[in-house]
Amino acid sequence: MLERMLIGRIENRVLVGTVAFLAIMIVSGWVAINEGARMQAYQDLQLARSIENGAALYVVNCSTCHSSDGRGVQGAGPGLNNPQLFGYDFFPEMTQQITELNTEKKALQVERGHSDTTDARKAEIDARLEAINTEIEAVANQARSQVQAAVDMGYDPLQFSRTKNLGWVGTLDSFIFTTLVHGRPASAKYSSLGAMPAWSQAAGGPLRDDQIRDVTNYILNWNRDWTLDDLFAVRHFAVQPVDPATFVGASTEPSIAQEFNSDVDAVVAALATVVGDPQSGQTLYNGSLACAGCHVAGAGLVAPALEGTYTRIVDSRLTLPEFAGYSPEKYIVESILYPGNFLAPPAYPNAMTPNFADQLTLQKIADLVAFLETQTGPSPE
Amino acid sequence: MSVLPFPSFLDDVKEKGLKKAVFEVVDESVERLTAGLNIQDLREAIRGEAPSRRPNPRLRPHADGFWLHMRPSYFNSDVTGLYPTFRLGWLSTYFVFFETITGIFLMVWYTPSPQVAYSDMLNILGNVPLGQLIRDLHRLGAEAMVLIVALHMMRTLFTASYKKPRQFTWFTGVILLALTGFLSFTGYLLPWDQLALWAVTIGASMIEATPPEIVGTNLNLLIRGGPEIGANGLLRFYLVHVLALPALLFVFTGVHYYKVILHGHSLPPQKENKGEDTAKRVPLDKRVYFIPDVLTSEIMWIAVTTLILIVLCVWFYDAPLENHADPQITPLGTTAPWYFLWIQGALKLGDKVFWGIIFPGIVVGGLAVLPYLDVSKSRRFADRRVMISVGLALISLSSWFSYMGLSEFAVSTSADSEILHELTFPPAHNHIGKLLPIPFEELKPGYYTTRQFEYGVDSIPQAVEDFNALIEQPFTADANITRNTEEKEIAAELTAAGLQTTSITFRPVPGDAPELYAVMEEFAHLLEINNSELNDAWGAVVITDNQIGLKRLDVIITWNEVQTEGGKPVLGENGEPVLVLNELGEPIRRFNVVHIFIHENSAYFNN
C-alpha cells in the first residue's frame, strides 16, 4: 500500500532527500538525547588523563621532596598523601566534645566580664573554667595517645586540617593549585632541601597552567577513606604556620616591645637619639606595614586619610582636652602602638592591628614619624 | 469605492469575498518572494508537471532574482548524470558552506591564545552540547574538502575541460585548491595540541627554505610570529584561517562559479566535435530545467551528503585531540598533514630549497598555467595520451612522495626506543601504544618478563623460575671482580625513575589477563625480530599501584650493545652481530626504561 500511496507517486530524488533529512533529524536527536551522558563521560576521561599527566610530572618534579609515594621526606617536604592535608578527622566525637566545652567556656567568660556578675558567681565560674581546661586537656591527650607515633612527628589530632590551620578560606583544590603556582618561599627555614620554588610559568617556574592543574588533580586523587595506617605512614607533617611576630622579629634589632616594654614616653624620649628617614618611612608605610591599605584619600570609612596627617594632628587633635601636653610625636607614637586608645572622629572602627610594638624597631618608628611629619598639606577632614 | 485614495484590501474583501481576497494577497507575496513563481507555478513544479502558463515562469527567478542569477536556468542532460562531473564541483561548493557554518559554531567557543585554546577544546568536547559532533564535522569536512577539490581538479584534467574557453576557470580553480590546502593547514594548529603544533612546525619550516636566505628567514618569522610558534603564531594562524583565507575563498569561488555559468558546463568529450564548444547551445530535447529537476536533485544531495558526514562522525570518526602542545617535547613520528606529506617526502630526497620550494612551485605553477601550454584542440581521450599519462604520473608520484613523507620511511630511531614507543605512546595519528588499551582490571601488579615464552607456552612457570635465578647471577664469572647482578642494575634503573624497589621477583602473566599476555607475546616478538641490534635482549613490564584507580607501568628493555654503522648493526663473518666489549672482554649490558601511568577512567580501550 505504501508503494501505491507514496513511493510510486514521488520521484526518487525527492523520496531519497526527504528520507535523508528525516534521518539527519533522527540521528542528531539521538545524539542530543545522549549528550549529557557523553559529556559527563568525556569529563571523567579528561580528568583521568589529567591525573595521568600529573602523575608523570609529579615523579619528575615533586618526588625528590615529597617522595614518589607522596608520604613526604623527613625534614624536607611534607606528606601530600596525608589525611591532614585532606582535613580528615580521625576522632570526630572528641572534636565534638572539645567544641562543646569551648562553647561553654566562651559563654562563661562573657558572663564573667559582665559588671553585674557577683563575686560569688565569679568564683564559681573560675572553678568551672579550670575544670573545663582540665577536661579539654584530658580529651586531647586521649586523642593524642591513640596516634602517638604521628604526634611524635608533629601531628596534632586536634589540628587535623592543614587548610584550617593556615586559616585558608578557599577550597583544598585552590590551596594546592596556588601553592604549586607560587611555591613556599618561607619553607627554606625548615626544609633541608631549601624552599619550595614557584612552579608556574606565570610565577617564574617551569610548568604551564594546565600542567599545574594536572599535578593538582593528581594530588587530589590521593583522597580516600583514610585509616590510621595511612597517618602513621606519613614521614613528615607540614610545619605549623610561623607566628608573624617572630617571623618579622627575626631581625637582630630589638622590637619596641622588647626594648621599651611598649612605653610611649620612653619611646618618644628615645626618638631624640635617632634620625628618622622619611623616605624609608614611606616605604614601610606603603610596603611591608601596609598602612596605605586603609589610610587612603577618599576611603574615609575605615581610617583617616594619609593626606594632611600632620596638619590635622597639630590643628585639631592636639587641641582636644585629652591631649593636653602631648607633642605631635607622642600623638603619632601612641596612635601606632595603642591604636585603640583614641578613635578619631567621626568614630572610625577599632580596626587597626594592635601588634605594631612587636613589628617595629626604634629606627622604623622614627622613620614613620619623619614620614608623617612631611604630611603638612591641607587635611581632607 | 474606498474611503482611502487608493484601493485597499478591504475593498477587495467587499468585492471578492474574504477567501479569494486573502488568497490573492498570499499568492502575490509568494510570487514576489520567489521572483516570479506563484502558488500554482510552485505546485506544478513540485508535482513534476509542465508549466501551465507562457512564458515559462520557472525561468523568471534566474532573470529577476538575486539568489539564482548565477545558476543556469537549464542544463544539458549530458552533464546532469553522475558522469562527467561526479558532482565534485558541486560537492566542493557544498563544503565551502558546510565548513563556514560549522566553523562559526566553533568560533563561539574558541579563543586563539595558548593559555586557553586547549582548555577551550576540552570545553567544546566535554561541556558544550553537540560540541564534539560539530567539531568532528568541521574536521572531517575539512579533510574531505581537500580530497574532493583535488579529485575535482583531476577530473577536469582527464576530461580536458580546462581547454579553451575555460582556461581562466581552471586557473581560478588551482587557486581555490591552494586556498583549500592552506585553510585546512591553518586550521590544523588551532586545537593547540601536540599533533597541531608539530605538524604545523614541520609545514612552516618548509617556508624557511625559500631563497634567498633573508626572504626565507623573514617569511618564516612573519608566519610564525617569532622563532617558535607561540601566542603570536597562533593568533596569526587563527586570523588567516577565519578571515583572510575565507574572504579570498569566497571571492575566487564567485569568480570560478561565474565562469562556469558563463561558458556552460563542458560536455563529455565524445559528445561534441573536435575543437568545438557547444555547451551553451542546448537542444530543446536535451534541456533539463533547474526548477524543478536540478534544484530538487541538489537539495537531495545536500541531505544525503550531510547525513553521510553525520553518520561517519557519530559512529566512525573522532577528530583527534592529543596532549597539550609542548615545544619542549618532540613526539616520535611527527608528520605534516597528509595533504602536505608529498612535500615532506620530496624533502627527504635532498636539497631543501629545490625539493621544498622549487619543486612544489613547479608542480602548482605548472598546473596553474596548464591550459595555456596544452593548446591542442581535441578533448578526446584517444588524442590526449600524453596529458592523461602526465596526470596519472602525477597521481603516482604524489602517492609515492606521500609515502616517503611518512615517518616510517627513512627515519630510523634505535630499536629499543622504537619498541618502547610502540608499547607506550599516547593516542596519536589514530594509533595508540599497545599497553594502553589493556583493560584496567588486567593490569595486576607484578613483574612480568618476555623470557616467560622462552621454552614455549607449556613451560612458562619453569622459564620464569630460571629467569629469576639468572638475573641474580653476577655479570662476570671472574670471582675477583665484584660486579652488579642484573637484578640490582634494574632496581637501580627503576629507583632512578622514581619507583622504589629493592628485590625483584618475576612471575608469569596471570591466566585472567589475556590481553596483557598478548601484549607480552607481542613484546617478545618485537625483541626477536630486532635481535641483531638488540643482542640477547629481554623485556619486562613492571606494574605497580600508584593511587586508587591509577597504575604505574614501567617498561624495561635490556640488551648487549652491538657495533653499529649508520644506524645498522655490523654483522660478523658468521652473520652474527659484533658485540661491543668492555675492558674485561665482556659484553656491555644496556638498559632503557620508560614509564607511563594509566587511570581506570582513561578509556583508552575505546580508541
Side-chain angles (χ1 to χ4, degrees), chain A residues 269-353:
Chain A
L271 278 180
T273 65
V274 288
V275 181
D277 172 20
Q279 199 64 44
S280 35
Q282 183 172 20
T283 310
L284 284 169
Y285 193 92
N286 295 329
S288 60
L289 296 177
C291 313
C294 295
H295 295 275
V296 285
L301 293 170
V302 192
L306 167 67
E307 283 81 355
T309 298
Y310 196 70
T311 320
R312 195 160 58 236
I313 290 169
V314 175
D315 292 349
S316 62
R317 301 285 192 261
L318 295 185
T319 58
L320 295 169
E322 60 255 52
F323 292 115
Y326 269 57
S327 66
E329 286 83 354
K330 186 176 175 187
Y331 179 86
I332 293 172
V333 171
E334 192 184 320
S335 300
I336 293 172
L337 298 184
Y338 299 99
N341 277 4
F342 170 71
L343 295 180
Y348 287 109
N350 187 5
M352 191 164 144
T353 337

Side-chain angles (χ1 to χ4, degrees), chain A residues 19-345:
Chain A
V19 169
F21 267 119
L22 283 175
I24 289 172
M25 293 298 144
I26 291 167
V27 174
S28 311
W30 186 82
V31 171
I33 288 169
N34 291 307
E35 214 40 9
R38 184 199 65 75
M39 291 192 294
Q40 188 55 52
Y42 191 86
Q43 283 169 11
D44 293 347
L45 177 146
Q46 212 46 59
L47 177 62
R49 297 200 180 173
S50 167
I51 290 171
E52 289 173 1
N53 291 338
L57 289 166
Y58 181 91
V59 168
V60 176
N61 297 302
C62 317
S63 60
T64 319
C65 293
H66 296 279
S67 108
S68 54
D69 61 6
R71 299 194 197 273
V73 172
Q74 178 65 47
L80 305 170
N81 178 7
N82 174 353
Q84 194 185 31
L85 179 65
F86 291 88
Y88 189 85
D89 186 1
F90 286 104
F91 308 103
E93 283 144 33
M94 296 182 193
T95 314
Q96 176 69 20
Q97 239 173 313
I98 289 174
T99 313
E100 281 164 13
L101 288 169
N102 276 326
T103 316
E104 188 189 345
K105 192 171 154 183
K106 247 179 220 155
L108 288 173
Q109 279 167 339
V110 170
E111 189 187 344
R112 197 185 185 288
H114 284 167
S115 50
D116 54 353
T117 309
T118 62
D119 286 349
R121 177 63 186 149
K122 277 186 184 168
E124 210 178 299
I125 289 173
D126 286 343
R128 178 61 192 145
L129 283 176
E130 199 156 313
I132 287 175
N133 283 341
T134 321
E135 220 172 311
I136 289 178
E137 199 50 35
V139 175
N141 283 336
Q142 199 193 337
R144 287 189 190 114
S145 68
Q146 291 188 39
V147 290
Q148 193 57 51
V151 170
D152 293 344
M153 305 196 49
Y155 176 74
D156 183 354
L158 302 186
Q159 309 279 313
F160 56 84
S161 166
R162 173 75 172 139
T163 47
K164 268 189 204 157
N165 295 349
L166 291 174
W168 181 260
V169 288
T171 59
L172 179 60
D173 184 309
S174 70
F175 172 65
I176 295 173
F177 189 88
T178 313
T179 307
L180 284 166
V181 168
H182 299 288
R184 282 203 175 276
S187 60
K189 279 184 177 295
Y190 37 78
S191 167
S192 59
L193 296 174
M196 176 177 173
W199 286 100
S200 162
Q201 285 175 357
L207 300 183
R208 299 185 310 265
D209 279 355
D210 62 293
Q211 291 175 314
I212 299 274
R213 167 71 19 226
D214 292 342
V215 178
T216 307
N217 287 339
Y218 174 70
I219 293 171
L220 286 171
N221 195 42
W222 263 310
N223 197 12
R224 57 184 180 267
D225 282 332
W226 298 89
T227 64
L228 285 176
D229 286 340
D230 292 326
L231 183 70
F232 298 141
V234 174
R235 296 184 203 98
H236 184 77
F237 288 95
V239 175
Q240 289 292 322
V242 178
D243 181 356
T246 61
F247 199 75
V248 176
S251 74
T252 49
E253 284 176 53
S255 68
I256 294 290
Q258 289 164 335
E259 196 175 354
F260 303 96
N261 199 22
S262 308
D263 180 23
V264 175
D265 287 320
V267 175
V268 174
L271 278 180
T273 65
V274 288
V275 181
D277 172 20
Q279 199 64 44
S280 35
Q282 183 172 20
T283 310
L284 284 169
Y285 193 92
N286 295 329
S288 60
L289 296 177
C291 313
C294 295
H295 295 275
V296 285
L301 293 170
V302 192
L306 167 67
E307 283 81 355
T309 298
Y310 196 70
T311 320
R312 195 160 58 236
I313 290 169
V314 175
D315 292 349
S316 62
R317 301 285 192 261
L318 295 185
T319 58
L320 295 169
E322 60 255 52
F323 292 115
Y326 269 57
S327 66
E329 286 83 354
K330 186 176 175 187
Y331 179 86
I332 293 172
V333 171
E334 192 184 320
S335 300
I336 293 172
L337 298 184
Y338 299 99
N341 277 4
F342 170 71
L343 295 180

Side-chain angles (χ1 to χ4, degrees), chain B residues 371-423:
Chain B
Y372 306 103
L373 299 178
D374 175 26
V375 290
S376 62
K377 288 205 160 39
S378 173
R379 291 178 54 219
R380 302 280 166 91
F381 296 123
D383 301 331
R384 300 183 57 247
R385 294 195 171 102
V386 174
M387 272 321 290
I388 288 175
S389 307
V390 167
L392 290 173
L394 207 59
I395 294 177
S396 315
L397 195 70
S398 56
S399 310
W400 176 243
F401 276 16
S402 295
Y403 166 68
M404 295 204 323
L406 293 175
S407 60
E408 282 86 343
F409 185 87
V411 177
S412 59
T413 321
S414 61
D416 51 304
S417 300
E418 287 282 354
I419 294 173
L420 289 174
H421 177 73
E422 187 74 16
L423 290 169

